Amino acid sequence: MSMFSGLSAFPLTPLRDDALDEGAFVGLVGRLRDAGVDSITALGSTGSYPYLDRAERARVARLAVEHAAGTPVFVGVGDLRTSRVLHRIDDAEAAGASGLLLAAMSYQRLTDDDVFELFRTATEHTELPVILYDNPGTTHFSFSIELIARVAALPGVAAVKIPSVPADPAAAQERVDAVRGSIPAGVTIGVSGDASAANGLNAGCDAWNSVIAGTLPAPALEITRAAQEGRPADAVAASERLAPLWNLFTEFGGSIRVVAAIAEMLGLVGERSLPLPLQGLTAPQRARVAEVVRGLGLTA
Amino acid sequence: MSMFSGLSAFPLTPLRDDALDEGAFVGLVGRLRDAGVDSITALGSTGSYPYLDRAERARVARLAVEHAAGTPVFVGVGDLRTSRVLHRIDDAEAAGASGLLLAAMSYQRLTDDDVFELFRTATEHTELPVILYDNPGTTHFSFSIELIARVAALPGVAAVKIPSVPADPAAAQERVDAVRGSIPAGVTIGVSGDASAANGLNAGCDAWNSVIAGTLPAPALEITRAAQEGRPADAVAASERLAPLWNLFTEFGGSIRVVAAIAEMLGLVGERSLPLPLQGLTAPQRARVAEVVRGLGLTA
């Protein structure tokens, strides 16, 4: 099985007084390693990569590899500027990363050719495998199937991370099949959008790039293992039990504030662990999160 | 008349081989000063602020003030992280900036409270006047009238830069009046979206925050002075003569690639002056730009 298969957990990168909270981050990595996730992706969107400086990102990469104790660590190397992406790659390599996650971060709108050349430049710069990270909700760039095909054909691209698949299983299957049909054999597909992960895995995605697993690995592993072991209905049922959580992701404008609130509530990270200007959830929103987490028995 | 009134020209920050092209930048600033623009805004979106590092931005701010020879210089201090915004403010102050332009840059979606607190923190950190920079096309954050009102009421906020106003003069008037009615007396309003600037000025905006003026100040001054001198029809006519240019902004997915191509074509900056991954326009697109610029007699 590919190193890129299974459950990849995306931990937060907690801050404390605007500095990296190393102890809390190491604790999160250890929690994921002990839970038995298949890989850890540091510095994904949930890991606040665009908010951190070069030294902070290099340090996070080193800590993740050091404390993952053999669990493969992938490191997010996205940046607005190509030359900075290459610096991030150098630092991730030096840290001992097993692979690189590259998003098409944008400020000015990017063309398909801009993004293709970014990936070409990045993959030519490194021998590490690269994961194409399609995350239009934050990057404001959407990969077409045609562009996925062009990028995935680059030597060095090992996996493609796609956004949420449709809730309807047939439509999910169609979407995953379309991606599969456009990429070389051996390139794996990961699904993100936690609420749609069971559907994505059941439709043949190789991996789940999971926000919730970065903080609560156990329920994410339950879904992943059910799908992997050919128990699709169990995967869907396990995901549906978490519906109150997925609903909070939608209602509160994205997942990062909700998982940060959970991690803060469980004492895994300190209060106000997100980089400002992200203030995190309000007190009434946090109360709602706590109620849902307790109701689902996820306080361990 | 307020320092924030009239024509504020937004120069490009040209790169050469991924390094600041200081000679070309100084040349652009001198061109704007000599043309008689009312102010120069360095490190706006057209000046690629999000792509540049702290040292590069500090250097650009210094060069702009040094070569503006008394023309007020405003400096863009936006960043994804609040602490970095404060660093950019320190550097702009040290450079001698007359004011600060602050956008609500986002990766994770921002709440209104996040943005309000960003502006509160920034304005408390500096004695320089701050311009609220609403640029949803690139920041992916839109200011509501309610949030403009909250932010503009902060001591230290001197001006509000709004996006394009509607093409219909009555609708433009309604929009500008709504903003005017929500902000304290003395806070000025600047319009951006070059194609709508004549309409915005005629509807009572105090300033035009202009992309095109950063490269071609003369035709932008013609529009601005006509509006200021109570010749609204002349302002509209001068803007309508530039319609082929405004159409290219739309057709080619934004203004920065078009003005970079113009500056490159006129020899004001070197080839490929934008920060990668922005490759700039293709050869056929550049030919179209050259045709329009020559047809409008803007080659001087």
Side-chain angles (χ1 to χ4, degrees):
Chain A
M1 200 171 73
S2 158
M3 166 174 79
F4 297 103
S5 295
L7 181 66
S8 195
F10 282 54
L12 294 156
T13 306
L15 301 187
R16 188 182 290 267
D17 296 332
D18 202 51
L20 181 60
D21 185 344
E22 297 197 1
F25 180 71
V26 163
L28 289 174
V29 171
R31 178 175 165 90
L32 302 180
R33 173 201 64 214
D34 294 347
V37 301
D38 299 302
S39 63
I40 295 169
T41 304
L43 297 169
S45 289
T46 304
S48 293
Y49 75 93
Y51 298 90
L52 304 177
D53 293 329
R54 180 174 186 177
E56 290 169 327
R57 291 173 67 167
R59 180 72 181 149
V60 166
R62 282 193 182 277
L63 289 171
V65 172
E66 193 178 322
H67 294 271
T71 302
V73 170
F74 312 133
V75 173
V77 294
D79 199 286
L80 284 175
R81 186 162 161 191
T82 300
S83 55
R84 291 200 295 229
V85 170
L86 302 185
H87 295 151
R88 303 301 171 263
I89 290 174
D90 293 342
D91 296 343
E93 282 181 351
S98 297
L100 308 169
L101 186 74
L102 180 54
M105 242 188 111
S106 74
Y107 182 78
Q108 298 288 348
R109 196 178 318 173
L110 297 175
T111 68
D112 280 9
D113 284 342
D114 290 340
V115 172
F116 177 77
E117 286 299 317
L118 169 66
F119 276 85
R120 197 186 55 75
T121 304
T123 51
E124 286 180 358
H125 186 76
T126 181
E127 307 215 334
L128 285 178
V130 170
I131 307 166
L132 181 166
Y133 182 21
D134 186 11
N135 197 20
T138 52
T139 65
H140 304 287
F141 179 84
S142 279
F143 282 81
S144 64
I145 285 282
E146 294 70 30
L147 183 59
I148 288 177
R150 282 177 73 194
V151 172
L154 286 166
V157 173
V160 171
K161 173 186 166 301
I162 63 172
S164 298
V165 296
D168 173 58
Q173 189 70 56
E174 195 177 339
R175 170 75 187 154
V176 174
D177 288 348
V179 175
R180 183 75 70 193
S182 74
I183 61 179
V187 173
T188 58
I189 303 175
V191 64
S192 55
D194 283 0
S196 83
N199 259 350
L201 292 167
N202 286 342
C205 287
D206 306 281
W208 174 13
N209 304 103
S210 174
V211 172
I212 196 69
T215 298
L216 298 173
L221 276 164
E222 185 187 350
I223 294 168
T224 308
R225 298 298 178 238
Q228 288 177 319
E229 293 163 9
R231 297 180 282 110
D234 289 353
V236 169
S239 177
E240 282 176 356
R241 276 197 300 276
L242 301 180
L245 202 51
W246 310 148
N247 292 342
L248 292 181
F249 284 11
T250 307
E251 188 183 343
F252 294 160
S255 54
I256 192 171
R257 289 173 172 87
V258 175
V259 287
I262 295 172
E264 292 171 14
M265 166 194 170
L266 298 182
L268 302 171
V269 306
E271 295 300 307
R272 300 191 152 271
S273 62
L274 293 173
L276 289 174
L278 303 177
Q279 296 183 72
L281 298 183
T282 63
Q285 289 172 327
R286 284 168 194 269
R288 291 270 312 283
V289 169
E291 188 183 1
V292 164
V293 167
R294 285 198 198 97
L296 293 170
L298 296 174
T299 48
Chain B
M1 200 171 74
S2 158
M3 165 173 81
F4 297 103
S5 295
L7 181 65
S8 196
F10 281 54
L12 294 155
T13 307
L15 302 186
R16 187 182 290 267
D17 295 334
D18 201 52
L20 182 60
D21 185 343
E22 296 198 1
F25 180 71
V26 163
L28 289 173
V29 171
R31 181 177 164 89
L32 302 180
R33 173 200 65 212
D34 294 346
V37 302
D38 298 304
S39 63
I40 295 170
T41 305
L43 298 169
S45 290
T46 304
S48 292
Y49 75 93
Y51 298 89
L52 304 177
D53 293 329
R54 180 173 186 177
E56 291 170 326
R57 290 173 68 166
R59 180 72 180 148
V60 166
R62 282 194 182 273
L63 288 171
V65 173
E66 194 179 321
H67 292 272
T71 302
V73 170
F74 311 133
V75 173
V77 294
D79 201 285
L80 284 174
R81 186 161 161 191
T82 300
S83 55
R84 292 200 297 229
V85 170
L86 302 185
H87 295 150
R88 304 300 172 262
I89 290 174
D90 293 341
D91 296 342
E93 282 182 350
S98 297
L100 307 170
L101 186 72
L102 180 54
M105 243 188 111
S106 74
Y107 182 79
Q108 299 288 348
R109 198 178 316 175
L110 297 174
T111 68
D112 281 9
D113 283 343
D114 290 340
V115 172
F116 177 77
E117 285 299 318
L118 169 66
F119 276 85
R120 197 186 54 74
T121 305
T123 52
E124 286 180 358
H125 186 75
T126 181
E127 307 214 333
L128 285 178
V130 170
I131 307 166
L132 180 167
Y133 183 18
D134 184 11
N135 198 20
T138 52
T139 64
H140 304 287
F141 179 84
S142 279
F143 282 81
S144 64
I145 285 281
E146 293 70 30
L147 183 58
I148 287 177
R150 282 178 74 195
V151 172
L154 286 167
V157 173
V160 171
K161 174 187 166 299
I162 63 173
S164 297
V165 297
D168 173 58
Q173 188 70 56
E174 195 178 338
R175 170 77 186 152
V176 174
D177 289 348
V179 176
R180 183 75 71 194
S182 74
I183 61 179
V187 173
T188 59
I189 303 175
V191 63
S192 55
D194 283 1
S196 84
N199 259 350
L201 291 167
N202 286 341
C205 287
D206 306 280
W208 174 12
N209 303 104
S210 174
V211 173
I212 195 69
T215 298
L216 299 172
L221 277 164
E222 185 186 350
I223 294 168
T224 309
R225 297 303 176 234
Q228 289 177 315
E229 292 163 8
R231 295 181 283 111
D234 290 352
V236 168
S239 177
E240 282 177 355
R241 277 198 299 278
L242 300 181
L245 202 52
W246 309 148
N247 293 342
L248 292 180
F249 284 11
T250 308
E251 187 183 342
F252 294 160
S255 54
I256 192 170
R257 289 171 171 89
V258 175
V259 288
I262 295 172
E264 292 172 14
M265 165 194 169
L266 298 182
L268 301 172
V269 306
E271 296 299 309
R272 301 190 153 271
S273 62
L274 294 173
L276 287 174
L278 304 177
Q279 298 183 71
L281 299 184
T282 63
Q285 290 173 327
R286 284 167 195 269
R288 293 269 312 284
V289 169
E291 188 183 359
V292 164
V293 168
R294 285 199 198 96
L296 293 170
L298 297 174
T299 50

